[in-house]
Amino acid sequence: MSQPSVIFVDDDPHILQAMAQTLALEDIPVTCHADAPSALPAITPDFEGIVLCDYNMPGMDGLQMLEKVRAVDDSIPVIILTGQGDISTAVSAMQQGAYDFIEKPFDHEELIELLRHAMEKRQLALENRRLKAQLRHMAKPGPRILGDSPAMQRVLALVNPILEISANILLHGETGSGKDALARYIHESSARGAHNFVAINCGAVPENLIESELFGHEAGAFTGADKRRIGKIEHAHGGTLFLDEVESMPLPLQVKLLRVLEEQRVERLGSNEVRDVDVRIIAATKEDLKALSDTGQFRSDLYYRLNVVKVDIPPLRDRKEDIPLLFHHFVLIAAARYDRESVPLDAGQAAGLMQRSWPGNVRELRNLAERYVLLGPAALDDSGAAGEANITGRQTLSEMVDGFERSAIISALNACHGSIKDTMVHLGVARKTLYDKMKKHGLDKAQFKD
């Protein structure tokens, strides 16, 4: 969220200059316009500031501008400047939705106080709007993909446009990087979310059983098959089949899976009946499937069938900006599970977490958050983890300072539940400084509201 600003409109150049200087001295951003039409393009529903305009202006007067602004967003405060003879008109403007009016010549302190109150009202209106949108989003079932880092934003920018397209997806990422969570997010966020999400770890099922797990079997199909069993593929009809560690699938079974993908039909073991299935496949791997297919360890035709859309999930060390947010999220979950208090990290602790290399990625972070809830700050000093630096990619001093600054602000916002006023006190900075640094680091206080 950027710092709120003022759009000032007056046809008198001397007043424009004086107002620009007055507001600059108060650290209030202002843009000045000599007429209303030139100011209106800057007025959008997302405009975070307020409008201060003269009543008597040629072409379009203050009341007409008020009408135009309210047509865009009636929660944008509009303050009218009036002469002594315009009081009745100003009262009329208030009845038509103006925030307030102030009479020329105006008192400096009175004007600044009025502007600040109007800007606070605008921020509250926007915050309320954002929170309502967030609540609508959070009301939807299913997992959330947390992360504001550029790396995760690129992932979501790739995934979100294809949610409603039943194309097969290949997820590639290190162990613990969140492939299962992303697969569930894709499923729950699509129309297939009303049907089953069926997951199978191809590396965890014995080779002699995985065919039956996927395709199902009829009674008597093999020794021990006492009754009919619906396979994973058939159970996922209308929904999503998630094949984790797909590189572990035996080559003979890959041929059968390829036929299912091509024909959208499945045949249980021991049966001659073929059944139609409508299944979206999301496969996940930590290996380079293309390299495996080039060496014959994975079928190239199946690779290309699965790799309609490939999504590379970044390791946690490449999205360190997300660590404080993710850790806070996991702490809240663990605190609720174990009926413990959730204690936010301080700036030093958050910075320490951001310096680790996290070989276990998000899964390792989640486990640490649980230990933190159970054991307190001592959990952060586990042997082998304390003081661990990112050996794979050393940071410059500037990068480390920026990272520490961002983590300190995130920790303070978490501790203050998104309250800008309390965060200013917590960090000992001015409001403008805090807003500027939040803008620099891409932080929005709405993220930290309970």
Side-chain angles (χ1 to χ4, degrees):
M1 182 184 294
S2 62
Q3 185 179 3
S5 60
V6 175
I7 289 180
F8 177 52
V9 186
D10 198 303
D11 60 323
D12 187 327
H14 300 294
I15 295 181
L16 283 178
Q17 183 180 9
M19 185 65 73
Q21 293 173 347
T22 296
L23 298 187
L25 290 173
E26 294 290 337
D27 288 330
I28 299 176
V30 59
T31 55
C32 297
H33 300 267
D35 55 71
S38 66
L40 287 174
I43 307 297
T44 67
D46 295 325
F47 173 59
E48 298 192 358
I50 65 172
V51 175
L52 174 65
C53 68
D54 189 26
Y55 168 66
N56 282 311
M57 294 186 294
M60 183 184 296
D61 64 23
L63 288 183
Q64 292 172 315
M65 184 171 188
L66 169 65
E67 183 180 358
K68 294 286 186 182
V69 172
R70 288 181 58 79
V72 173
D73 185 344
D74 61 8
S75 69
I76 297 176
V78 178
I79 299 172
I80 305 290
L81 282 175
T82 68
Q84 291 183 350
D86 299 323
I87 298 301
S88 60
T89 304
V91 173
S92 176
M94 294 284 290
Q95 294 172 343
Q96 295 178 42
Y99 177 77
D100 209 335
F101 68 92
I102 191 164
E103 187 178 353
K104 298 178 183 177
F106 48 81
D107 177 81
H108 173 88
E109 296 297 332
E110 180 185 352
L111 174 65
I112 297 303
E113 183 179 6
L114 180 60
L115 293 178
R116 293 197 187 281
H117 285 165
M119 288 189 290
E120 287 180 3
K121 180 182 179 182
R122 177 59 177 163
Q123 293 302 293
L124 287 172
L126 289 173
E127 181 179 346
N128 187 51
R129 185 181 300 168
R130 292 187 185 102
L131 287 174
K132 285 182 178 179
Q134 187 179 29
L135 287 172
R136 286 194 296 268
H137 174 71
M138 296 302 291
K140 297 178 181 178
R144 303 284 167 258
I145 300 300
L146 298 177
D148 295 320
S149 63
M152 282 309 297
Q153 291 306 307
R154 285 192 292 271
V155 168
L156 292 176
L158 177 60
V159 165
N160 286 335
I162 60 171
L163 292 176
E164 299 301 337
I165 303 172
S166 293
N168 297 326
I169 298 175
L170 179 62
L171 305 180
H172 177 258
E174 296 179 4
T175 298
S177 57
K179 298 186 289 294
D180 179 87
L182 184 57
R184 291 179 184 275
Y185 169 80
I186 293 170
H187 171 76
E188 296 288 355
S189 301
S190 71
R192 293 181 176 271
H195 301 279
N196 291 331
F197 176 87
V198 181
I200 182 170
N201 188 314
C202 301
V205 182
E207 187 171 337
N208 62 325
L209 294 179
I210 189 170
E211 183 175 3
S212 173
E213 283 290 312
L214 280 173
F215 293 88
H217 61 257
E218 296 290 341
F222 52 84
T223 303
D226 299 328
K227 58 183 179 179
R228 173 185 293 174
R229 187 177 190 280
I230 302 297
K232 301 290 189 184
I233 297 174
E234 197 173 341
H235 187 53
H237 176 68
T240 302
L241 177 66
F242 177 53
L243 302 174
D244 199 6
E245 296 189 25
V246 69
E247 74 278 2
S248 303
M249 183 177 291
L251 285 170
L253 191 59
Q254 293 179 27
V255 179
K256 295 188 176 183
L257 178 62
L258 179 64
R259 176 182 291 181
V260 172
L261 295 179
E262 290 176 339
E263 301 179 358
Q264 289 287 294
R265 303 168 77 189
V266 66
E267 183 178 332
R268 297 176 194 154
L269 296 180
S271 173
N272 294 320
E273 183 180 351
V274 178
R275 291 171 174 79
D276 293 332
V277 289
D278 171 22
V279 176
R280 179 187 211 169
I281 304 290
I282 300 179
T285 180
K286 61 180 181 294
E287 305 292 344
D288 184 344
L289 278 194
K290 180 64 169 63
L292 292 180
S293 67
D294 289 342
T295 58
Q297 299 175 70
F298 194 87
R299 290 189 63 94
S300 59
D301 45 7
L302 178 59
Y303 165 72
Y304 288 113
R305 275 287 181 178
L306 295 175
N307 190 31
V308 176
V309 178
K310 183 183 179 185
V311 180
D312 290 303
I313 304 176
L316 191 56
R317 62 180 174 273
D318 289 345
R319 48 180 294 215
K320 290 193 170 185
E321 308 96 310
D322 295 333
I323 288 175
L325 176 64
L326 288 167
F327 190 85
H328 181 66
H329 172 71
F330 293 138
V331 163
L332 290 177
I333 293 174
R337 178 184 303 151
Y338 299 119
D339 193 24
R340 295 288 185 90
E341 181 183 1
S342 63
V343 180
L345 296 174
D346 62 33
Q349 292 169 330
L353 294 183
M354 294 175 69
Q355 291 303 308
R356 299 187 184 187
S357 59
W358 298 106
N361 291 292
V362 177
R363 183 178 297 136
E364 182 184 356
L365 181 68
R366 182 185 62 208
N367 292 341
L368 179 60
E370 290 203 5
R371 292 198 299 275
Y372 176 74
V373 168
L374 293 172
L375 304 177
L380 303 180
D381 298 324
D382 283 352
S383 60
E388 180 185 359
N390 180 10
I391 300 173
T392 61
R394 295 192 181 277
Q395 295 177 302
T396 66
L397 177 61
S398 177
E399 289 171 337
M400 287 190 285
V401 170
D402 281 346
F404 180 84
E405 181 179 78
R406 189 177 196 275
S407 67
I409 295 172
I410 288 174
S411 295
L413 285 166
N414 276 326
C416 300
H417 308 290
S419 167
I420 294 297
K421 182 179 178 181
D422 292 343
T423 303
M424 289 164 50
V425 175
H426 188 94
L427 295 175
V429 297
R431 181 183 293 269
K432 182 179 186 302
T433 301
L434 179 59
Y435 271 123
D436 287 345
K437 291 187 179 298
M438 289 175 64
K439 181 179 180 181
K440 171 186 174 183
H441 296 296
L443 301 176
D444 186 335
K445 64 180 180 182
Q447 299 170 253
F448 304 93
K449 294 287 186 180
D450 288 339

